[in-house]
Amino acid sequence: MKAHVVTYGCQMNEYDTHLVQSQLVSLGADMVEDIDSADFVLLNTCAVRGKPVDKVRSVLGELRKEKAKRPLVVGMMGCLAQLEEGQQIARKFEVDVLIGPGSLLDIGKALESNERFWALNFRDELHGHIPPAPQGKLQAHLTIMRGCDHHCTYCIVPTTRGPQVSRSPDDILRELDMQLAAGVREVTLLGQNVNAYGVDQGARLAGYPSFADLLRMVGASGIERIKFTTSHPMNFTEDVAQAMAETPAVCEFIHLPVQSGSDRVLRRMAREYNREKYLTHIEQIRRHMPDAVLYTDIIVGFPGETEEDFQQTLDLYDEVGYDSAYMFIYSARPGTPSYKHFTDLPREVKTERLQRLIAKQKDWSARRFAAKVGTVQEVLVRGDAYSPGFLEGHTRGQHPTVVPKAVGAEGAGIYQVRINHATPHMLYGQVVDAQGRPLEELPQWTPEAAALSSPLQML
Ligand code: SAH
Ligand code: SF4
Ligand code: F3S
């Protein structure tokens, strides 16, 4: 069988795609890059906003047409699959295999079945299942918990992914060991709310460390860089900032979604913190890690958000000076409390506010990127950049970075880089040695140089 998986949504979905692909490979499937040559196409879906749902609908429409022309099995997994909305879509577009986020291990059974196969149960074995490490990659994701115990009024995730279940520290460390053995050098710990690790449905689990202690344990494994996402401000503790500062492998990077700067809106979102409490966390982070890079998520145009509420979000942005933000227009999701109880704001109001927020975010990003010029950053290079002769990677603070290839820095690896130029989205630099001296640059590709060395030239 030739299989192809398309991934929408967040990093949790990317991890799940990897897990399901490794199951498929162990069942004898070939993973193919090209959707047209696949006889099994699986969409790993997202339901958090209307847009990713519309996207899945349109791709399923195309696949249904394909199915009329050739033998093709179409599957749907991920958050949308778990919802009644997703099941209706699946029926409409004649989806053959439907697998919820808790039933990923049923993929084998699904493929054996000759008829429509739907699996929507949350199975405990999933938490103990350790997928093989990604091969030939320096970066990996590691899910440390699934589900979410919060009830933000706009959010569908608790419905799609169920209540929070933390994975055991033994399973996490075993998976990490396998990743280390495969050459992984940067791991991102994943969960909807990593700060609540080890406290599921309000109860602390015996033998489970706090998230801060888990960071310390992972930091002692030998991995060189640790990142994590997402942190819910409600469960953030100063101990986490302290563990980050004391554990050299933990990167100075934190993604702490605020959603809104207005207490009135935060209450209607049921976020369980207010602006003041949020700013206390920012102060703790800055005190322990003065250079920490801060990302956030913001929803604009939540029902009932006034111009004054929105102004408070803009003010908060300036007060924190975020390095970057994921900014979303509120999307009313069927099945959420805010969909049921509140009236959506007019589209124009929401888009106009988003434009103003984006302008602010660009301004801060430009300043933050510019401030890195002249510093030395540790860059994880994934491989060749788009321009020949250059490599691309990212810093510990997640800034995309481009460097020319140099002797000793010709491909993937972790290098020290002196930053000499910045745009609002990219850092440019030069690889340096331990003494800060630039490595010798390799000759760069230019059309003239390429023509000179081409075989035609030699004729
Ligand atoms: N558990 C994470 C986020 C999960 S969803 C947390 O709370 O931090 C990722 C982001 O999508 C959220 O932070 C939020 O900003 C956004 N989001 C969730 N539901 C949304 C909706 N209905 N409309 C617009 N954005 C939404
Ligand atoms: Fe990820 Fe949430 Fe989308 Fe699910 S609904 S894929 S958890 S962003
Ligand atoms: Fe959603 Fe809030 Fe949980 S945004 S995933 S309900 S923390």
Side-chain angles (χ1 to χ4, degrees):
M1 185 185 60
K2 290 186 176 149
H4 180 90
V5 185
V6 187
T7 311
Y8 304 96
C10 62
Q11 290 166 307
M12 303 282 287
N13 264 16
E14 286 173 28
Y15 177 92
D16 286 347
T17 289
H18 171 68
L19 191 154
V20 166
Q21 277 178 335
S22 55
Q23 291 286 103
L24 288 170
V25 169
S26 72
L27 294 165
D30 272 338
M31 299 307 305
V32 291
E33 294 278 320
D34 175 22
I35 199 163
D36 295 329
S37 62
D39 41 40
F40 176 43
V41 175
L42 179 59
L43 305 185
N44 190 359
T45 60
C46 173
V48 80
R49 282 171 290 275
K51 257 199 193 145
V53 176
D54 294 343
K55 179 75 196 162
V56 165
R57 240 194 226 106
S58 87
V59 175
L60 284 175
E62 292 301 312
L63 289 171
R64 186 172 53 179
K65 282 189 218 150
E66 264 310 286
K67 262 175 98 165
K69 295 188 214 145
R70 63 185 177 101
L72 177 66
V73 178
V74 174
M76 197 171 143
M77 61 182 270
C79 289
L80 184 58
Q82 195 66 30
L83 299 177
E84 185 49 45
E85 185 186 11
Q87 289 145 33
Q88 274 171 16
I89 294 174
R91 276 189 285 268
K92 176 167 173 204
F93 292 99
E94 296 156 34
V95 166
D96 309 288
V97 169
L98 193 86
I99 303 243
S103 347
L104 304 179
L105 298 177
D106 287 333
I107 187 76
K109 270 197 249 154
L111 293 176
E112 275 168 22
S113 153
N114 287 325
E115 21 188 280
R116 200 173 73 172
F117 182 96
W118 289 18
L120 297 166
N121 299 321
F122 284 88
R123 298 219 342 231
D124 289 342
E125 305 91 279
L126 183 59
H127 306 291
H129 176 81
I130 299 182
Q135 296 300 311
K137 297 226 169 98
L138 299 188
Q139 284 176 282
H141 291 133
L142 207 173
T143 287
I144 63 165
M145 68 215 299
R146 289 179 177 273
C148 181
D149 283 344
H150 285 271
H151 301 281
C152 305
T153 52
Y154 52 81
C155 188
I156 198 69
V157 176
T159 313
T160 65
R161 287 186 171 258
Q164 178 181 308
V165 181
S166 302
R167 285 178 81 202
S168 82
D170 285 354
D171 288 336
I172 295 171
L173 293 177
R174 269 200 297 149
E175 183 161 345
L176 184 67
D177 276 346
M178 286 168 52
Q179 295 182 341
L180 275 166
V184 168
R185 299 174 73 178
E186 178 182 295
V187 70
T188 304
L189 308 178
L190 298 180
Q192 289 303 336
N193 176 9
V194 291
N195 293 287
Y197 175 78
V199 185
D200 294 354
Q201 291 120 73
R204 174 161 290 288
L205 303 170
Y208 281 54
S210 64
F211 181 61
D213 286 337
L214 183 73
L215 281 180
R216 294 182 176 103
M217 285 163 73
V218 172
S221 68
I223 188 93
E224 287 158 87
R225 312 219 296 193
I226 304 165
K227 290 177 181 169
F228 54 88
T229 197
T230 310
S231 287
H232 192 300
M234 151 75 185
N235 301 91
F236 186 88
T237 57
E238 186 167 358
D239 196 22
V240 172
Q242 209 164 342
M244 290 177 75
E246 322 166 336
T247 312
V250 178
C251 294
E252 304 69 31
F253 170 75
I254 187 154
H255 180 189
L256 198 62
V258 68
Q259 315 297 1
S260 166
S262 150
D263 283 346
R264 208 177 64 86
V265 175
L266 288 172
R267 248 192 330 271
R268 284 161 69 87
M269 289 177 164
R271 283 292 284 179
E272 302 172 78
Y273 55 84
N274 58 21
R275 181 186 176 109
E276 190 189 338
K277 178 147 190 276
Y278 183 87
L279 286 170
T280 308
H281 297 320
I282 299 292
E283 182 275 316
Q284 290 162 344
I285 294 166
R286 294 247 193 262
R287 182 152 37 80
H288 290 281
M289 282 172 298
D291 290 333
V293 168
L294 275 159
Y295 274 36
T296 198
D297 289 357
I298 294 176
I299 297 179
V300 295
F302 187 74
E305 182 189 75
T306 61
E307 176 57 31
E308 197 192 336
D309 291 319
F310 178 62
Q311 205 58 52
Q312 290 183 24
T313 299
L314 294 176
D315 292 348
L316 181 95
Y317 208 110
D318 284 333
E319 201 163 336
V320 178
Y322 290 108
D323 293 77
S324 194
Y326 298 96
M327 297 160 286
F328 308 106
I329 282 186
Y330 168 74
S331 167
R333 301 300 300 127
T336 59
S338 64
Y339 174 87
K340 199 161 158 209
H341 300 297
F342 302 143
T343 314
D344 211 349
L345 290 178
R347 179 105 210 144
E348 316 78 73
V349 173
K350 297 197 284 186
T351 34
E352 190 273 335
R353 287 185 190 160
L354 181 68
Q355 293 316 319
R356 277 191 280 157
L357 185 62
I358 291 175
K360 182 162 292 296
Q361 184 268 327
K362 278 192 179 154
D363 184 36
W364 272 105
S365 272
R367 284 196 239 176
R368 294 291 189 211
F369 272 70
K372 296 284 176 268
V373 174
T375 65
V376 172
Q377 301 286 324
E378 181 194 279
V379 174
L380 182 146
V381 164
R382 272 183 296 260
D384 287 347
Y386 186 66
S387 318
F390 289 86
L391 299 170
E392 63 93 22
H394 57 274
T395 64
R396 289 170 65 94
Q398 212 63 350
H399 307 88
T401 309
V402 170
V403 292
K405 289 185 181 180
V407 176
E410 280 136 276
I414 293 183
Y415 306 108
Q416 297 298 319
V417 172
R418 182 176 300 284
I419 306 300
N420 44 36
H421 181 67
T423 70
H425 313 285
M426 190 73 78
L427 298 179
Y428 298 86
Q430 215 175 10
V431 180
V432 294
D433 65 14
Q435 281 74 45
R437 289 178 306 231
L439 302 188
E440 187 192 332
E441 279 181 32
L442 295 174
Q444 281 176 31
W445 186 93
T446 59
E448 299 76 33
L452 277 176
S453 60
S454 93
L456 280 179
Q457 198 69 32
M458 289 173 210
L459 288 177

